[in-house]
Amino acid sequence: MSDQSEQSVEGNEQPTYLDWNNSIDVMDKAIEKGLFVLIIGPKGTGKTSLVREYARQKSKELESINFSLRTRESHLIGTKNLIDGNTGFDEGILVKSMKEGNILYLDEINAAEADVLLRLDEALDDRRQIVLKESDGKTIKAKDTWFVVATINPLTHVGTKELPPQLLSRFPIRIKLDYPPEDVEYKIIKKYVKNPNESDVLHGIKLANTLRQASAVEELYYSPSIRETIAYAKLLEGGTPAKQSAKIVFGNVYSQWGNVEFQKVNDIIVSMFGN
Ligand SMILES: Nc1ncnc2c1ncn2[C@@H]1O[C@H](COP(=O)(O)OP(=O)(O)O)[C@@H](O)[C@H]1O
Ligand SMILES: [Mg+2]
């Protein structure tokens, strides 16, 4: 859906994924050997975009689930239903994707509760099958084409836990997706913003990288994503001056952690963009 709205804003040209660290190739090798993939990286580094692009290129259906503490086993497995006195079974996303042999995208898998992870582990082991205690002990075996890609955020993220080693080993192909180098981020932004002022945009990327580095060493509470550098460039394109755009997109958000945090970032913006 979000792809569509971006498309309509930019006209008829669909923004495409820039595969700057050859992740598509790694995924190709994984799928070929029937190995599952784990993508590791902070929010907003293009993990979801990469998987969507991969499914699009392979013309494969994509089933996605975004894990949180509220995700239950039933979301994965399914639930019994009762229609006109007959019991049936509404398949959850895991069962469905195994039977159809499409791509299953497990987003932020390390936000899930232990019981949910345990159930996933059953399906992901080498037999690629799961026993449905919810549906008369029926065994579901995955099609050969079944492919699973999971993402985890670095452990500094609120609400994320360490993935149990056993489950980690189900995803032996690991792609590390961090914030891109400056020139690459500029190229990504150019996919969304027609005629950005290069030096203003680069200035914003520099600011974002300064904040990202400060956040990585826990000097700040928040790390701006690529989504935010794109938004900054869109403000520029709409005529908002660079410094004001920087405050709106990168600065103001820090006030939620109090005035000291906000002032710290404001000082950085002033030092980079002038008074
Ligand atoms: N390599 C890339 N090519 C094109 N757009 C990208 C790329 N990386 C990130 N983006 C854009 O940045 C934003 C955040 O990406 P997203 O895939 O949602 O990140 P994540 O899933 O890691 O949080 C989206 O608007 C996405 O379109
Ligand atoms: Mg995502």
Side-chain angles (χ1 to χ4, degrees):
M1 284 312 276
S2 71
D3 289 345
Q4 261 168 21
S5 61
E6 275 155 7
Q7 194 178 342
S8 65
V9 173
E10 307 311 328
N12 45 24
E13 202 181 310
Q14 183 170 10
T16 46
Y17 184 77
L18 184 74
D19 182 25
W20 59 276
N21 65 352
N22 287 321
S23 300
I24 300 271
D25 184 47
V26 176
M27 290 179 60
D28 268 341
K29 290 184 169 128
I31 206 170
E32 201 178 291
K33 298 288 177 201
L35 300 169
F36 295 159
V37 174
L38 185 71
I39 309 174
I40 307 163
K43 256 196 178 13
T45 48
K47 299 185 292 299
T48 302
S49 309
L50 164 64
V51 177
R52 284 201 188 132
E53 170 66 11
Y54 191 72
R56 195 190 63 78
Q57 284 190 15
K58 302 288 147 191
S59 307
K60 293 259 264 174
E61 288 286 322
L62 185 66
E63 301 278 359
S64 306
I65 179 164
N66 188 265
F67 285 91
S68 72
L69 293 174
R70 287 176 316 242
T71 309
R72 299 277 81 97
E73 270 184 71
S74 59
H75 295 131
L76 295 173
I77 308 298
T79 44
K80 267 198 170 132
N81 61 27
L82 189 63
I83 300 164
D84 299 332
N86 298 316
T87 50
F89 191 68
D90 287 328
E91 285 171 359
I93 198 161
L94 173 68
V95 171
K96 218 162 102 189
S97 82
M98 289 172 83
K99 282 170 86 169
E100 288 170 6
N102 55 25
I103 302 181
L104 177 64
Y105 178 46
L106 307 170
D107 202 12
E108 300 182 36
I109 191 176
N110 58 334
E113 295 273 30
D115 60 324
V116 176
L117 293 180
L118 206 68
R119 214 56 206 286
L120 255 183
D121 194 53
E122 184 189 345
L124 296 171
D125 88 3
D126 296 338
R127 285 167 300 171
R128 308 272 198 254
Q129 65 181 39
I130 191 164
V131 178
L132 299 186
K133 59 179 190 301
E134 295 87 345
S135 177
D136 311 320
K138 206 176 356 171
T139 299
I140 301 292
K141 177 116 186 67
K143 268 194 178 170
D144 285 348
T145 54
W146 191 46
F147 184 49
V148 184
V149 182
T151 73
I152 57 174
N153 290 323
L155 293 172
T156 49
H157 259 74
V158 190
T160 54
K161 303 178 290 278
E162 200 177 342
L163 208 59
Q166 177 194 355
L167 192 59
L168 199 57
S169 72
R170 307 293 185 212
F171 301 92
I173 305 300
R174 288 83 187 235
I175 294 174
K176 184 173 177 295
L177 206 52
D178 223 316
Y179 301 110
E182 234 171 65
D183 57 321
V184 172
E185 189 159 356
Y186 181 70
K187 280 190 199 140
I188 292 172
I189 289 171
K190 279 198 30 178
K191 290 181 170 288
Y192 300 87
V193 184
K194 284 264 144 58
N195 292 307
N197 175 303
E198 183 168 352
S199 95
D200 281 349
V201 173
L202 287 175
H203 228 92
I205 295 172
K206 278 210 171 67
L207 171 63
N209 280 333
T210 303
L211 302 173
R212 289 163 182 167
Q213 279 149 22
S215 162
V217 295
E218 290 176 8
E219 277 169 19
L220 288 173
Y221 282 103
Y222 184 75
S223 184
S225 72
I226 299 177
R227 191 171 284 115
E228 281 147 291
T229 51
I230 294 170
Y232 163 83
K234 284 184 174 171
L235 284 189
L236 294 178
E237 191 185 40
T240 309
K243 186 177 163 189
Q244 196 187 345
S245 302
K247 286 189 173 181
I248 292 170
V249 174
F250 300 111
N252 291 344
V253 64
Y254 289 93
S255 60
Q256 68 173 307
W257 292 280
N259 211 36
V260 173
E261 182 91 352
F262 172 73
Q263 270 310 327
K264 217 177 345 180
V265 174
N266 202 52
D267 291 346
I268 296 172
I269 294 177
V270 169
S271 77
M272 290 180 72
F273 287 79
N275 252 310

mmCIF file of all heavy atoms in Angstrom, residues 181-214:
data_model
loop_
_atom_site.group_PDB
_atom_site.id
_atom_site.type_symbol
_atom_site.label_atom_id
_atom_site.label_comp_id
_atom_site.label_asym_id
_atom_site.label_seq_id
_atom_site.Cartn_x
_atom_site.Cartn_y
_atom_site.Cartn_z
ATOM 1 N N PRO A 181 26.358 4.286 2.816
ATOM 2 C CA PRO A 181 27.279 5.416 2.686
ATOM 3 C C PRO A 181 26.514 6.616 2.112
ATOM 4 O O PRO A 181 25.499 6.444 1.427
ATOM 5 C CB PRO A 181 28.314 4.930 1.674
ATOM 6 C CG PRO A 181 28.136 3.452 1.583
ATOM 7 C CD PRO A 181 26.758 3.129 2.014
ATOM 8 N N GLU A 182 27.062 7.815 2.412
ATOM 9 C CA GLU A 182 26.421 9.072 2.010
ATOM 10 C C GLU A 182 25.963 9.119 0.552
ATOM 11 O O GLU A 182 24.833 9.473 0.244
ATOM 12 C CB GLU A 182 27.457 10.168 2.180
ATOM 13 C CG GLU A 182 27.031 11.320 3.023
ATOM 14 C CD GLU A 182 28.199 12.227 3.291
ATOM 15 O OE1 GLU A 182 28.726 12.823 2.322
ATOM 16 O OE2 GLU A 182 28.601 12.335 4.483
ATOM 17 N N ASP A 183 26.884 8.765 -0.352
ATOM 18 C CA ASP A 183 26.562 8.893 -1.781
ATOM 19 C C ASP A 183 25.447 7.924 -2.180
ATOM 20 O O ASP A 183 24.633 8.230 -3.052
ATOM 21 C CB ASP A 183 27.811 8.679 -2.644
ATOM 22 C CG ASP A 183 28.476 7.340 -2.386
ATOM 23 O OD1 ASP A 183 28.522 6.913 -1.215
ATOM 24 O OD2 ASP A 183 28.933 6.708 -3.361
ATOM 25 N N VAL A 184 25.388 6.783 -1.518
ATOM 26 C CA VAL A 184 24.339 5.805 -1.807
ATOM 27 C C VAL A 184 22.987 6.316 -1.281
ATOM 28 O O VAL A 184 21.966 6.233 -1.955
ATOM 29 C CB VAL A 184 24.668 4.425 -1.197
ATOM 30 C CG1 VAL A 184 23.486 3.472 -1.345
ATOM 31 C CG2 VAL A 184 25.912 3.838 -1.847
ATOM 32 N N GLU A 185 23.020 6.871 -0.083
ATOM 33 C CA GLU A 185 21.769 7.403 0.476
ATOM 34 C C GLU A 185 21.239 8.524 -0.418
ATOM 35 O O GLU A 185 20.023 8.637 -0.639
ATOM 36 C CB GLU A 185 21.983 7.903 1.916
ATOM 37 C CG GLU A 185 20.668 8.253 2.604
ATOM 38 C CD GLU A 185 20.752 8.260 4.132
ATOM 39 O OE1 GLU A 185 21.811 7.922 4.693
ATOM 40 O OE2 GLU A 185 19.729 8.602 4.760
ATOM 41 N N TYR A 186 22.152 9.318 -0.959
ATOM 42 C CA TYR A 186 21.737 10.372 -1.888
ATOM 43 C C TYR A 186 21.051 9.764 -3.114
ATOM 44 O O TYR A 186 20.018 10.247 -3.572
ATOM 45 C CB TYR A 186 22.949 11.217 -2.302
ATOM 46 C CG TYR A 186 22.585 12.342 -3.245
ATOM 47 C CD1 TYR A 186 21.843 13.431 -2.801
ATOM 48 C CD2 TYR A 186 22.966 12.297 -4.595
ATOM 49 C CE1 TYR A 186 21.484 14.452 -3.663
ATOM 50 C CE2 TYR A 186 22.611 13.312 -5.461
ATOM 51 C CZ TYR A 186 21.869 14.396 -4.993
ATOM 52 O OH TYR A 186 21.503 15.399 -5.862
ATOM 53 N N LYS A 187 21.609 8.691 -3.642
ATOM 54 C CA LYS A 187 21.011 8.015 -4.808
ATOM 55 C C LYS A 187 19.634 7.453 -4.478
ATOM 56 O O LYS A 187 18.723 7.482 -5.312
ATOM 57 C CB LYS A 187 21.913 6.872 -5.289
ATOM 58 C CG LYS A 187 23.066 7.340 -6.144
ATOM 59 C CD LYS A 187 23.765 6.134 -6.785
ATOM 60 C CE LYS A 187 25.163 6.518 -7.262
ATOM 61 N NZ LYS A 187 26.156 5.469 -7.015
ATOM 62 N N ILE A 188 19.488 6.927 -3.271
ATOM 63 C CA ILE A 188 18.179 6.397 -2.850
ATOM 64 C C ILE A 188 17.164 7.537 -2.797
ATOM 65 O O ILE A 188 16.051 7.428 -3.330
ATOM 66 C CB ILE A 188 18.279 5.693 -1.476
ATOM 67 C CG1 ILE A 188 19.114 4.409 -1.597
ATOM 68 C CG2 ILE A 188 16.887 5.375 -0.919
ATOM 69 C CD1 ILE A 188 19.441 3.727 -0.273
ATOM 70 N N ILE A 189 17.574 8.644 -2.194
ATOM 71 C CA ILE A 189 16.672 9.793 -2.070
ATOM 72 C C ILE A 189 16.220 10.272 -3.443
ATOM 73 O O ILE A 189 15.058 10.623 -3.655
ATOM 74 C CB ILE A 189 17.368 10.936 -1.279
ATOM 75 C CG1 ILE A 189 17.484 10.535 0.186
ATOM 76 C CG2 ILE A 189 16.611 12.257 -1.431
ATOM 77 C CD1 ILE A 189 18.337 11.455 1.033
ATOM 78 N N LYS A 190 17.144 10.225 -4.400
ATOM 79 C CA LYS A 190 16.806 10.693 -5.759
ATOM 80 C C LYS A 190 15.742 9.831 -6.431
ATOM 81 O O LYS A 190 15.143 10.243 -7.415
ATOM 82 C CB LYS A 190 18.068 10.767 -6.626
ATOM 83 C CG LYS A 190 18.800 12.053 -6.323
ATOM 84 C CD LYS A 190 19.824 12.541 -7.304
ATOM 85 C CE LYS A 190 19.691 12.238 -8.750
ATOM 86 N NZ LYS A 190 20.783 12.846 -9.519
ATOM 87 N N LYS A 191 15.492 8.644 -5.893
ATOM 88 C CA LYS A 191 14.410 7.824 -6.419
ATOM 89 C C LYS A 191 13.039 8.347 -5.991
ATOM 90 O O LYS A 191 12.017 7.977 -6.554
ATOM 91 C CB LYS A 191 14.569 6.368 -5.968
ATOM 92 C CG LYS A 191 15.747 5.671 -6.623
ATOM 93 C CD LYS A 191 15.833 4.232 -6.146
ATOM 94 C CE LYS A 191 16.843 3.461 -6.971
ATOM 95 N NZ LYS A 191 16.389 3.188 -8.342
ATOM 96 N N TYR A 192 13.036 9.166 -4.949
ATOM 97 C CA TYR A 192 11.763 9.652 -4.406
ATOM 98 C C TYR A 192 11.552 11.145 -4.635
ATOM 99 O O TYR A 192 10.434 11.629 -4.583
ATOM 100 C CB TYR A 192 11.683 9.379 -2.904
ATOM 101 C CG TYR A 192 11.787 7.915 -2.554
ATOM 102 C CD1 TYR A 192 13.030 7.298 -2.366
ATOM 103 C CD2 TYR A 192 10.645 7.127 -2.450
ATOM 104 C CE1 TYR A 192 13.125 5.955 -2.063
ATOM 105 C CE2 TYR A 192 10.727 5.789 -2.145
ATOM 106 C CZ TYR A 192 11.975 5.205 -1.959
ATOM 107 O OH TYR A 192 12.068 3.870 -1.665
ATOM 108 N N VAL A 193 12.638 11.870 -4.815
ATOM 109 C CA VAL A 193 12.551 13.324 -4.962
ATOM 110 C C VAL A 193 13.216 13.705 -6.282
ATOM 111 O O VAL A 193 14.382 13.381 -6.499
ATOM 112 C CB VAL A 193 13.250 14.028 -3.772
ATOM 113 C CG1 VAL A 193 13.076 15.530 -3.858
ATOM 114 C CG2 VAL A 193 12.705 13.510 -2.449
ATOM 115 N N LYS A 194 12.436 14.391 -7.130
ATOM 116 C CA LYS A 194 12.880 14.633 -8.510
ATOM 117 C C LYS A 194 14.178 15.427 -8.635
ATOM 118 O O LYS A 194 15.173 14.919 -9.120
ATOM 119 C CB LYS A 194 11.766 15.370 -9.279
ATOM 120 C CG LYS A 194 10.632 14.449 -9.679
ATOM 121 C CD LYS A 194 10.801 13.932 -11.111
ATOM 122 C CE LYS A 194 10.309 12.493 -11.237
ATOM 123 N NZ LYS A 194 8.880 12.331 -10.852
ATOM 124 N N ASN A 195 14.133 16.698 -8.205
ATOM 125 C CA ASN A 195 15.304 17.538 -8.412
ATOM 126 C C ASN A 195 15.828 18.129 -7.118
ATOM 127 O O ASN A 195 15.721 19.325 -6.886
ATOM 128 C CB ASN A 195 14.960 18.680 -9.387
ATOM 129 C CG ASN A 195 14.710 18.165 -10.781
ATOM 130 O OD1 ASN A 195 15.534 17.452 -11.347
ATOM 131 N ND2 ASN A 195 13.550 18.506 -11.322
ATOM 132 N N PRO A 196 16.390 17.282 -6.267
ATOM 133 C CA PRO A 196 16.837 17.815 -4.985
ATOM 134 C C PRO A 196 18.081 18.686 -5.156
ATOM 135 O O PRO A 196 18.873 18.465 -6.066
ATOM 136 C CB PRO A 196 17.151 16.554 -4.176
ATOM 137 C CG PRO A 196 17.437 15.495 -5.183
ATOM 138 C CD PRO A 196 16.729 15.860 -6.448
ATOM 139 N N ASN A 197 18.195 19.691 -4.284
ATOM 140 C CA ASN A 197 19.417 20.477 -4.258
ATOM 141 C C ASN A 197 20.496 19.625 -3.601
ATOM 142 O O ASN A 197 20.434 19.313 -2.417
ATOM 143 C CB ASN A 197 19.176 21.768 -3.458
ATOM 144 C CG ASN A 197 20.449 22.588 -3.292
ATOM 145 O OD1 ASN A 197 21.462 22.106 -2.762
ATOM 146 N ND2 ASN A 197 20.396 23.812 -3.749
ATOM 147 N N GLU A 198 21.483 19.244 -4.399
ATOM 148 C CA GLU A 198 22.433 18.233 -3.944
ATOM 149 C C GLU A 198 23.124 18.598 -2.626
ATOM 150 O O GLU A 198 23.212 17.781 -1.712
ATOM 151 C CB GLU A 198 23.481 17.964 -5.039
ATOM 152 C CG GLU A 198 24.445 16.875 -4.626
ATOM 153 C CD GLU A 198 25.320 16.372 -5.771
ATOM 154 O OE1 GLU A 198 25.078 16.753 -6.939
ATOM 155 O OE2 GLU A 198 26.246 15.589 -5.491
ATOM 156 N N SER A 199 23.594 19.854 -2.533
ATOM 157 C CA SER A 199 24.380 20.175 -1.339
ATOM 158 C C SER A 199 23.483 20.235 -0.096
ATOM 159 O O SER A 199 23.890 19.816 0.992
ATOM 160 C CB SER A 199 25.185 21.456 -1.553
ATOM 161 O OG SER A 199 24.505 22.570 -1.054
ATOM 162 N N ASP A 200 22.256 20.724 -0.247
ATOM 163 C CA ASP A 200 21.327 20.725 0.899
ATOM 164 C C ASP A 200 20.995 19.302 1.348
ATOM 165 O O ASP A 200 20.928 19.022 2.546
ATOM 166 C CB ASP A 200 20.021 21.454 0.539
ATOM 167 C CG ASP A 200 20.179 22.971 0.599
ATOM 168 O OD1 ASP A 200 21.218 23.438 1.117
ATOM 169 O OD2 ASP A 200 19.267 23.678 0.121
ATOM 170 N N VAL A 201 20.764 18.429 0.366
ATOM 171 C CA VAL A 201 20.424 17.048 0.714
ATOM 172 C C VAL A 201 21.612 16.380 1.411
ATOM 173 O O VAL A 201 21.455 15.724 2.448
ATOM 174 C CB VAL A 201 19.995 16.235 -0.533
ATOM 175 C CG1 VAL A 201 19.802 14.768 -0.174
ATOM 176 C CG2 VAL A 201 18.696 16.793 -1.110
ATOM 177 N N LEU A 202 22.806 16.566 0.866
ATOM 178 C CA LEU A 202 23.995 15.962 1.472
ATOM 179 C C LEU A 202 24.219 16.463 2.896
ATOM 180 O O LEU A 202 24.625 15.715 3.780
ATOM 181 C CB LEU A 202 25.237 16.231 0.605
ATOM 182 C CG LEU A 202 25.300 15.425 -0.694
ATOM 183 C CD1 LEU A 202 26.497 15.853 -1.557
ATOM 184 C CD2 LEU A 202 25.359 13.918 -0.415
ATOM 185 N N HIS A 203 23.890 17.735 3.093
ATOM 186 C CA HIS A 203 23.967 18.320 4.428
ATOM 187 C C HIS A 203 23.045 17.587 5.399
ATOM 188 O O HIS A 203 23.414 17.287 6.528
ATOM 189 C CB HIS A 203 23.529 19.790 4.318
ATOM 190 C CG HIS A 203 24.437 20.734 4.990
ATOM 191 N ND1 HIS A 203 25.471 21.354 4.349
ATOM 192 C CD2 HIS A 203 24.458 21.172 6.271
ATOM 193 C CE1 HIS A 203 26.094 22.130 5.206
ATOM 194 N NE2 HIS A 203 25.507 22.031 6.387
ATOM 195 N N GLY A 204 21.839 17.296 4.943
ATOM 196 C CA GLY A 204 20.862 16.574 5.763
ATOM 197 C C GLY A 204 21.313 15.153 6.061
ATOM 198 O O GLY A 204 21.139 14.655 7.181
ATOM 199 N N ILE A 205 21.907 14.516 5.063
ATOM 200 C CA ILE A 205 22.404 13.153 5.271
ATOM 201 C C ILE A 205 23.539 13.164 6.301
ATOM 202 O O ILE A 205 23.612 12.304 7.174
ATOM 203 C CB ILE A 205 22.890 12.539 3.931
ATOM 204 C CG1 ILE A 205 21.705 12.376 2.963
ATOM 205 C CG2 ILE A 205 23.571 11.193 4.170
ATOM 206 C CD1 ILE A 205 22.103 11.960 1.546
ATOM 207 N N LYS A 206 24.408 14.190 6.197
ATOM 208 C CA LYS A 206 25.502 14.323 7.179
ATOM 209 C C LYS A 206 24.949 14.466 8.590
ATOM 210 O O LYS A 206 25.436 13.837 9.527
ATOM 211 C CB LYS A 206 26.360 15.551 6.842
ATOM 212 C CG LYS A 206 27.390 15.294 5.784
ATOM 213 C CD LYS A 206 28.623 16.204 6.000
ATOM 214 C CE LYS A 206 29.742 15.790 5.070
ATOM 215 N NZ LYS A 206 29.395 16.045 3.631
ATOM 216 N N LEU A 207 23.917 15.309 8.714
ATOM 217 C CA LEU A 207 23.278 15.494 10.021
ATOM 218 C C LEU A 207 22.704 14.157 10.511
ATOM 219 O O LEU A 207 22.935 13.768 11.662
ATOM 220 C CB LEU A 207 22.162 16.546 9.919
ATOM 221 C CG LEU A 207 21.262 16.688 11.153
ATOM 222 C CD1 LEU A 207 22.055 17.145 12.372
ATOM 223 C CD2 LEU A 207 20.110 17.669 10.875
ATOM 224 N N ALA A 208 21.981 13.473 9.626
ATOM 225 C CA ALA A 208 21.389 12.182 10.004
ATOM 226 C C ALA A 208 22.471 11.218 10.482
ATOM 227 O O ALA A 208 22.311 10.554 11.510
ATOM 228 C CB ALA A 208 20.618 11.589 8.826
ATOM 229 N N ASN A 209 23.587 11.196 9.765
ATOM 230 C CA ASN A 209 24.670 10.275 10.152
ATOM 231 C C ASN A 209 25.297 10.660 11.496
ATOM 232 O O ASN A 209 25.675 9.795 12.274
ATOM 233 C CB ASN A 209 25.735 10.214 9.058
ATOM 234 C CG ASN A 209 25.309 9.306 7.916
ATOM 235 O OD1 ASN A 209 24.520 8.373 8.126
ATOM 236 N ND2 ASN A 209 25.804 9.570 6.716
ATOM 237 N N THR A 210 25.397 11.962 11.745
ATOM 238 C CA THR A 210 25.900 12.415 13.050
ATOM 239 C C THR A 210 24.973 11.919 14.166
ATOM 240 O O THR A 210 25.430 11.405 15.190
ATOM 241 C CB THR A 210 25.972 13.964 13.086
ATOM 242 O OG1 THR A 210 26.795 14.402 12.005
ATOM 243 C CG2 THR A 210 26.544 14.467 14.393
ATOM 244 N N LEU A 211 23.667 12.060 13.946
ATOM 245 C CA LEU A 211 22.694 11.628 14.958
ATOM 246 C C LEU A 211 22.700 10.110 15.111
ATOM 247 O O LEU A 211 22.576 9.578 16.214
ATOM 248 C CB LEU A 211 21.286 12.122 14.585
ATOM 249 C CG LEU A 211 21.132 13.647 14.425
ATOM 250 C CD1 LEU A 211 19.749 13.996 13.904
ATOM 251 C CD2 LEU A 211 21.417 14.368 15.746
ATOM 252 N N ARG A 212 22.861 9.400 13.978
ATOM 253 C CA ARG A 212 22.913 7.933 14.028
ATOM 254 C C ARG A 212 24.106 7.455 14.832
ATOM 255 O O ARG A 212 24.008 6.511 15.623
ATOM 256 C CB ARG A 212 23.005 7.373 12.598
ATOM 257 C CG ARG A 212 21.713 7.536 11.800
ATOM 258 C CD ARG A 212 21.936 7.357 10.307
ATOM 259 N NE ARG A 212 20.704 7.558 9.558
ATOM 260 C CZ ARG A 212 20.638 7.706 8.240
ATOM 261 N NH1 ARG A 212 21.764 7.687 7.512
ATOM 262 N NH2 ARG A 212 19.483 7.877 7.645
ATOM 263 N N GLN A 213 25.262 8.126 14.607
ATOM 264 C CA GLN A 213 26.455 7.727 15.348
ATOM 265 C C GLN A 213 26.301 8.006 16.831
ATOM 266 O O GLN A 213 26.684 7.192 17.673
ATOM 267 C CB GLN A 213 27.693 8.439 14.794
ATOM 268 C CG GLN A 213 28.244 7.758 13.548
ATOM 269 C CD GLN A 213 28.903 8.733 12.574
ATOM 270 O OE1 GLN A 213 29.318 9.819 12.975
ATOM 271 N NE2 GLN A 213 28.976 8.366 11.307
ATOM 272 N N ALA A 214 25.716 9.158 17.157
ATOM 273 C CA ALA A 214 25.509 9.500 18.566
ATOM 274 C C ALA A 214 24.547 8.496 19.213
ATOM 275 O O ALA A 214 24.731 8.098 20.365
ATOM 276 C CB ALA A 214 24.952 10.915 18.690
#
